[in-house]
Amino acid sequence: MTEGSRQLPLAVTLDVEARFDTYYSAGNTDAIAALQMLPSPGVWLASPTSCGRSHLLQAVVAAAPANAAWYLPLSKEMPAQSIAGLAPDAIVCLDDVDQVAGNADWEQALFALYESQLAGGGRLVISASRRPDQTGFALPDLVSRFTSLALYRLQPLDDAALIRALQLRARYRGLELPDAAAHFLLKRLPREPRALFAWLARLDEAALSAKRGLTLPFVRDTLNRLLAESEA
């Protein structure tokens, strides 16, 4: 039953549960190995949003020494100066870089960051829905630089893998989630890892309060009650 968070520069807070040992690696072992070794100049993760890209980028930061790696989720509303001045010897993890593709200021800032990290011995870990040449960058030199990153495509989890992922996350919280209870969650909730893990956290809180385990009857009754409350 895990609480707390780690505060980073740029006012970004990591999910304390986003670690390599809480990521169910089915079909993605090569990508995880690359993230743990981090070849120069870095790694590009391409996948749909439901494959755990953010989890893995934050896991890279969690595994690094303090202040040696930074995580920054990008958005259209952020100024390009957000990545200016990052330490050139650090690991910089940029999430959802396709959010700023096509923005001239951002593309220049990303190009400068790449050159700085390469010269300073740092590494880049970047996530997007597609590979660099399909992301929508207008600056050819930026596409060329990003294409030099090791490319890995994360594979989504099928239902069997989602159940194992839920059980892995439950064990991290000090709980056991029986197969029957996990199957019930998949029937009642969206088959999206982030949503499933959020509901697991709520069930954890309820189990702690009731001093109960995550048995099928407890999970069924508690989830139905929580869902009814959220719809009221």
Side-chain angles (χ1 to χ4, degrees), residues 16 33 62 87 91 95 97 113-114 122 132 134 144 148 162 170 172 176 192 196 203 206 214 218 223 226-227 232:
V16 72
I91 300 168
D95 206 358
V97 75
L113 176 66
Y114 179 97
Q134 297 175 335
S144 174
S148 70
L162 277 173
Y172 181 79
E176 287 297 326
E192 197 280 318
L196 288 169
L203 290 169
L214 295 182
F218 177 81
L223 181 63
L226 291 172
L227 286 171

Side-chain angles (χ1 to χ4, degrees), residues 40-204:
S40 179
V43 171
W44 181 287
L45 294 181
S47 77
T49 56
S50 61
C51 293
R53 291 177 351 207
S54 300
H55 182 129
L56 287 176
L57 265 64
Q58 293 181 63
V60 170
V61 178
N67 300 319
W70 296 348
Y71 169 79
L72 184 62
L74 303 188
S75 69
K76 296 180 176 67
E77 293 74 26
M78 293 173 59
Q81 294 88 341
S82 299
I83 59 173
L86 295 178
D89 59 347
I91 300 168
V92 178
C93 301
L94 301 178
D95 206 358
D96 296 326
V97 75
D98 35 2
Q99 290 289 314
V100 299
N103 180 300
D105 290 340
W106 262 106
E107 294 197 12
Q108 290 291 344
L110 289 168
F111 182 83
L113 176 66
Y114 179 97
E115 294 293 296
S116 173
Q117 299 306 112
L118 184 64
R123 301 288 189 274
L124 290 174
V125 182
I126 296 179
S127 86
S129 57
R130 298 182 179 183
R131 67 192 196 196
D133 61 342
Q134 297 175 335
T135 298
F137 294 117
L139 187 62
D141 285 344
L142 182 60
V143 176
S144 174
R145 299 301 192 276
F146 279 166
T147 301
S148 70
L149 300 175
L151 173 64
Y152 291 89
R153 294 179 176 85
L154 296 178
Q155 302 302 311
L157 301 179
D158 59 19
D159 284 359
L162 277 173
I163 287 174
R164 299 296 172 256
L166 270 170
Q167 291 172 326
L168 177 64
R169 187 62 64 94
R171 285 195 296 274
Y172 181 79
R173 288 176 161 267
L175 302 165
E176 287 297 326
L177 182 66
D179 287 350
H183 279 286
F184 177 78
L185 292 177
L186 256 62
K187 288 180 181 179
R188 296 286 280 123
L189 297 172
R191 285 174 164 80
E192 197 280 318
R194 186 175 300 180
L196 288 169
F197 297 152
W199 277 105
L200 180 64
R202 296 184 67 181
L203 290 169
D204 180 3

